[in-house]
Amino acid sequence: MIVGAGMAGARTAVALREEGWPGAVTLLGAEAHQPYDRPPLSKALLQAAPHGGNPGAAGAAGDGAAAAAGPAGATGLGIDFAALDVELLLGHSANALRAADRLVVAGDTALPYDHLVIATGADAVGLPGSETTPGVHVLRTLDDAERLRPVLAAGRPVVIVGAGWIGAELTTAAREAGCPVTVVEATARPLSGALPAEVTAPMAGWYEEAGARLLTGTRVAAVEPGGVLLGDGSRLRADAVVVGIGARPATGWLGGSGVELCADGSVRADERLRTSLPDVYAVGDCASFPSARYGERLLIHHWDNAFRGPATVAAHIARCAEETPVYDPVPYFWSEQFGRFLQYAGHHSGGERLVWRGDPAGVSWSVCWLRDGVLTALLAVGRPRDLAQGRRLIERAARLDPERAADPSVPLKSAAV
């Protein structure tokens, strides 16, 4: 039984069959749509024509679009679940786990399992009153995107709350649709929770270049019909308010189940993505795992983690052996914003030395994080070759010559010592 039909759940089903798992596989999903890919929701899909029009770039953004029916066609995963003999139970949310009886409760139905994979992902974080206030949106699901597309297509004023990764992508889509945009960020700068100040410094200017107004150090006191009330008592009027302030693991349904959770709400998985209960695993956005590479527990809310983790889970279920590989990837994600393609590999936690490759005021540059000379992370803006080489260098814990690494004309791999 796999609970959660997003990328992590769908890929787990595929990986089990690839491992030769002979038993029944059931994929339980809260959404009625066929499993689909999420990255296009904040990228190409928001810029596609609403209400069944020509999807344009969104059709190319998905992975095997023709395999998914209905609105998910633009982002379908291209997986033939019938051919894999995987049973889909869509439109059913798990609301409890009775581990002693090996049952997942979904509504009034109790579903038995021998092995359980928790892949319920994460839920968008809202603001007080956002769920009941007209004109307030979040972006996490395909239905969220379908509701938001016609709003942007109308070209009306939009307030976006949050200047993180999702806020930047939403701002990009809204400006390309011709919407006047004001972005409200509670901290002093964009991406304050993800990158150090010196790295984000040039990014604030990207908003202005795109014609968006960015208000940093500004708190939203309340969302209201027709706009937001700010902490200083002033109001911003808008036809739509989009909240993009992060996501939290969707693990509330596990309360009282015996599955151990971390303080951040994630399932506490081990190095093989096993939970505290026998024959119960967790993968994707809902699970954190210990990284020997970085010496800390990681919670990764990105596509690559949801795509790669299932192979570890499936191998352990199918082989039931300790010699199956541990899960300790080099984290990776990308973002398309303001006409730029950003890629990040690795993990940084503070205290590393920053080495710049290129001028951050330019259109393409990279920055490396070095700890004791070892490359631990890299952000590439418009330099995909740096990212590809850097990711391999991080995987083998390569040391870099800082002077050669700082020369953007020198291939990054040639800076290894």
Side-chain angles (χ1 to χ4, degrees):
M1 172 69 67
I2 304 167
V3 181
M7 174 61 75
R11 287 300 307 172
T12 299
V14 172
L16 282 166
R17 292 307 188 210
E18 290 175 344
E19 285 283 346
W21 177 253
V25 177
T26 301
L27 188 60
L28 180 72
E31 297 181 60
H33 305 297
Q34 289 280 313
Y36 60 88
D37 210 4
R38 292 189 188 278
L41 298 186
S42 60
K43 300 176 177 68
L45 192 64
L46 275 189
Q47 294 144 31
H51 301 311
N54 179 12
D63 210 356
T75 56
L77 297 177
I79 299 171
D80 189 339
F81 291 101
L84 292 173
D85 192 22
V86 172
E87 181 184 11
L88 294 180
L89 296 179
L90 303 177
H92 300 279
S93 296
N95 52 8
L97 168 59
R98 288 163 37 192
D101 302 319
R102 294 195 173 229
L103 293 173
V104 171
V105 180
D108 296 329
T109 304
L111 303 167
Y113 68 85
D114 294 306
H115 300 269
L116 173 65
V117 180
I118 301 167
T120 41
D123 295 324
V125 176
L127 289 170
S130 59
E131 293 185 359
T132 57
T133 304
V136 179
H137 301 259
V138 296
L139 182 60
R140 186 70 189 176
T141 69
L142 183 61
D143 288 339
D144 292 336
E146 292 291 339
R147 284 189 288 267
L148 189 54
R149 279 201 297 163
V151 174
L152 300 189
R156 305 296 296 170
V158 175
V159 167
I160 295 172
V161 183
W165 299 112
I166 189 68
E169 293 179 0
L170 287 166
T171 302
T172 300
R175 287 301 299 137
E176 290 183 357
C179 300
V181 177
T182 301
V183 181
V184 182
E185 168 58 43
T187 67
R189 55 189 176 83
L191 290 169
S192 61
L195 299 170
E198 55 266 52
V199 177
T200 62
M203 299 177 179
W206 298 353
Y207 286 81
E208 182 179 358
E209 290 174 12
R213 180 188 181 199
L214 174 62
L215 303 178
T216 56
T218 304
R219 184 177 62 86
V220 173
V223 292
E224 303 175 327
V228 297
L229 172 67
L230 300 181
D232 63 4
S234 63
R235 285 180 165 83
L236 294 175
R237 296 299 180 188
D239 285 45
V241 176
V242 189
V243 180
I245 56 175
R248 63 168 63 93
T251 56
W253 66 284
L254 295 171
S257 67
V259 172
E260 184 180 357
L261 303 181
C262 297
D264 57 17
S266 65
V267 176
R268 188 178 184 86
D270 71 4
E271 70 280 358
R272 289 181 173 82
L273 301 180
R274 298 170 294 194
T275 74
S276 55
L277 295 180
D279 300 319
V280 179
Y281 304 78
V283 66
D285 290 6
C286 67
S288 62
F289 57 90
S291 170
R293 185 190 307 276
Y294 293 106
E296 60 184 284
R297 178 167 288 273
L298 300 182
L299 173 61
I300 303 173
H301 283 181
H302 295 296
W303 181 94
D304 190 65
N305 177 53
F307 184 82
R308 297 172 68 187
T312 297
V313 172
H316 198 272
I317 291 175
R319 303 179 206 172
C320 294
E322 286 298 323
E323 62 265 22
T324 54
V326 301
Y327 187 62
D328 196 3
V330 172
Y332 168 76
F333 71 90
W334 75 96
S335 177
E336 296 171 288
Q337 52 184 264
F338 307 113
R340 295 168 173 86
F341 185 48
L342 284 68
Q343 294 172 285
Y344 177 92
H347 175 72
H348 68 274
S349 55
E352 296 92 347
R353 175 180 178 179
L354 296 185
V355 175
W356 294 85
R357 290 172 56 79
D359 183 356
V363 295
S364 64
W365 49 274
S366 297
V367 61
C368 302
W369 282 260
L370 302 183
R371 182 175 291 276
D372 299 326
V374 175
L375 181 65
T376 60
L378 180 138
L379 173 70
V381 179
R383 292 181 65 95
R385 185 171 297 177
D386 277 4
L387 188 287
Q389 295 180 11
R391 193 173 183 179
R392 289 191 290 269
L393 292 169
I394 296 169
E395 285 174 348
R396 61 185 179 93
R399 292 182 176 275
L400 299 188
D401 178 333
E403 290 187 7
R404 289 181 61 78
D407 185 345
S409 68
V410 174
L412 193 61
K413 63 182 180 181
S414 298
V417 296

